[in-house]
Amino acid sequence: MPLCPMRQMLDEARKVGYGVGAYNVNNMEQIQAICQAASETKSPLIIQASRGALEYTNLIYLKHLMAAAVEESPDIPIVLHLDHGPNLKICKEAIALGFTSVMIDGSIDYDKKTPEGKHPARSFEDNIRVTKEVVDFAHASGVSVEGELGTLGGIEEETHTDKVLLTDPAQVEEFCKRTGVDALALAIGTSHGAYKFKHEPVLAMELISESRKRAPETAFVMHGSSSVPKELVDEVNKYGGKLPGAMGVPISSIQEAVRRGIQKINVDTDGRLVVTAAIRKVFAEKPGEFDPRKYLGPARDALAKLIAQKMRDFGTAGHAADYEPKSLAEMKTLYAKK
Ligand code: G3H
Ligand code: 13P
Ligand code: ZN
């Protein structure tokens, strides 16, 4: 099966009413595990790479690892997506590498810094301007675009941006109309990483329902969707880790978010946790082991199991054969007609 445009994958999910996980990858074992989970559960799949992942893999390795994944998984539609693209230049690089979708994180100006060393939040108008530039460029090649309205808490709050702003549903319709984005990340109170909440999870779920009314045909994205399961944190800590007070988004909240209108669910941290737990276990139980395959192998197996469960929980499982992926050339023609 060829690569799939994200627009088509999320349109299908919206019509049927399920979520598609978008899983961050940086290396071969992660890509293999995620594809294995998708094949086992017959799930459409979004593999995403951050700017950090592109740097870590020197671009070319990631490109070929992803190509291998697509070649090895002929029965599943796969989207290759750039996560948190900071500007048009990086989005262009991802498109040149063969990504079928890019995110332009126009809510934050990554190219500037405040005196405190944080990135300033962009105004609504500036966000529209930079997002539209990327949409115009990407759609001319049939590539899908995700924008962001509002900013995430957590990592962005503490180290990236000077402001945390939940999405204002009143701006959603205008943003979607003026930019033409295929998908929009809503800020509803989640954050990246393992420390999302101090006491209990609190999310502005009504923002999703309100936004859905205002933009009925745009896919919505939930970033910071790792659940940080207690058993996994305990496992990491049991084998020498130190993650006190880690907390994530319960699966039941993600399912509610999907019912209210989320289609794309971004997950990175849970994958990091499960890999770390598995590697720590081998190191603790077999201190004489020094063959990387003996700890990366179990880590890959544990990741595949975790992601397969997410695919069932998000409702993605069983939908891989629902449609034939459109080519980017077809998407280009469709965009040109709009
Ligand atoms: O957006 C956040 C993802 O977890 C990617 O993280 O920038 O460390 O690769 P990263
Ligand atoms: P988590 O840190 O919750 O896994 O979120 C990942 C994410 O939003 C990537 O864009
Ligand atoms: Zn994110």
Side-chain angles (χ1 to χ4, degrees):
M1 204 175 272
L3 282 174
C4 187
M6 192 164 82
R7 169 92 221 187
Q8 183 190 11
M9 188 177 284
L10 297 182
D11 274 350
E12 294 284 342
R14 184 167 50 74
K15 283 179 208 149
V16 180
Y18 61 88
V20 182
Y23 305 100
N24 285 76
V25 297
N26 298 275
N27 64 27
M28 180 185 78
E29 283 78 6
Q30 287 172 311
I31 294 177
Q32 288 177 323
I34 290 164
C35 287
Q36 186 188 324
S39 292
E40 273 171 22
T41 61
K42 302 192 175 13
S43 302
L45 171 64
I46 301 171
I47 302 180
Q48 60 184 14
S50 67
R51 181 189 184 183
L54 294 179
E55 280 165 16
Y56 180 75
T57 58
N58 205 3
L59 302 185
I60 192 77
Y61 287 91
L62 194 75
K63 172 183 166 158
H64 288 284
L65 285 170
M66 286 180 161
V70 172
E71 192 177 321
E72 217 203 20
S73 317
D75 301 329
I76 47 170
I78 300 180
V79 168
L80 299 184
H81 176 75
L82 172 71
D83 189 27
H84 292 283
N87 52 38
L88 179 63
K89 182 173 170 281
I90 305 280
C91 290
K92 282 184 178 176
E93 277 177 21
I95 292 168
L97 276 182
F99 283 52
T100 56
S101 177
V102 293
M103 174 183 188
I104 170 70
D105 190 347
S107 57
I108 295 173
D109 191 345
Y110 287 99
D111 300 330
K112 284 199 193 126
K113 277 202 173 160
T114 64
E116 300 78 45
K118 294 186 178 185
H119 297 300
R122 278 210 181 92
S123 69
F124 182 62
E125 283 300 324
D126 282 350
N127 188 353
I128 288 182
R129 183 179 46 77
V130 297
T131 304
K132 173 100 175 58
E133 260 176 18
V134 172
V135 169
D136 288 346
F137 182 84
H139 282 187
S141 312
V143 169
S144 317
V145 179
E146 173 184 337
E148 179 170 317
L149 199 46
T151 55
L152 299 185
I155 285 177
E156 288 188 355
E157 177 187 9
E158 278 146 29
T159 61
H160 281 197
T161 185
D162 59 342
K163 271 187 208 149
V164 178
L165 298 167
L166 294 187
T167 302
D168 177 357
Q171 293 183 328
V172 167
E173 184 177 1
E174 186 180 348
F175 187 86
C176 292
K177 278 212 173 113
R178 285 177 61 194
T179 59
V181 285
D182 303 283
L184 180 65
L186 302 177
I188 60 163
T190 60
S191 57
H192 292 132
Y195 302 93
K196 300 185 191 301
F197 309 100
K198 292 209 167 66
H199 307 291
E200 58 181 292
V202 187
L203 295 174
M205 288 288 179
E206 68 289 351
L207 291 190
I208 305 172
S209 310
E210 282 304 313
S211 303
R212 183 41 76 223
K213 282 185 221 151
R214 269 119 163 167
E217 294 192 349
T218 305
F220 290 150
V221 186
M222 185 167 157
H223 283 248
S225 303
S226 280
S227 296
V228 192
K230 187 176 177 310
E231 319 80 76
L232 259 187
V233 174
D234 289 349
E235 184 88 346
V236 171
N237 290 342
K238 178 173 155 192
Y239 294 111
K242 226 178 199 178
L243 300 172
M247 199 188 292
V249 183
I251 289 292
S252 56
S253 301
I254 295 174
Q255 289 167 334
E256 180 183 347
V258 169
R259 281 195 296 277
R260 287 173 180 263
I262 292 286
Q263 281 75 44
K264 176 172 179 272
I265 303 158
N266 282 20
V267 175
D268 187 353
T269 296
D270 281 355
R272 296 179 180 194
L273 287 173
V274 78
V275 161
T276 301
I279 292 177
R280 279 191 176 280
K281 185 169 191 287
V282 176
F283 284 174
E285 289 178 350
K286 297 178 188 160
E289 190 54 75
F290 61 90
D291 178 345
R293 292 170 298 187
K294 297 286 166 35
Y295 50 85
L296 295 179
R300 181 173 60 186
D301 293 345
L303 179 60
K305 202 167 152 218
L306 176 105
I307 302 295
Q309 188 53 46
K310 287 194 186 293
M311 288 167 167
R312 289 188 278 270
D313 290 341
F314 299 166
T316 337
H319 289 291
D322 289 2
Y323 49 93
E324 273 296 314
K326 291 192 169 71
S327 68
L328 291 189
E330 281 174 87
M331 291 307 295
K332 185 178 158 175
T333 312
L334 287 174
Y335 287 130
K337 281 189 196 148
K338 283 200 172 171

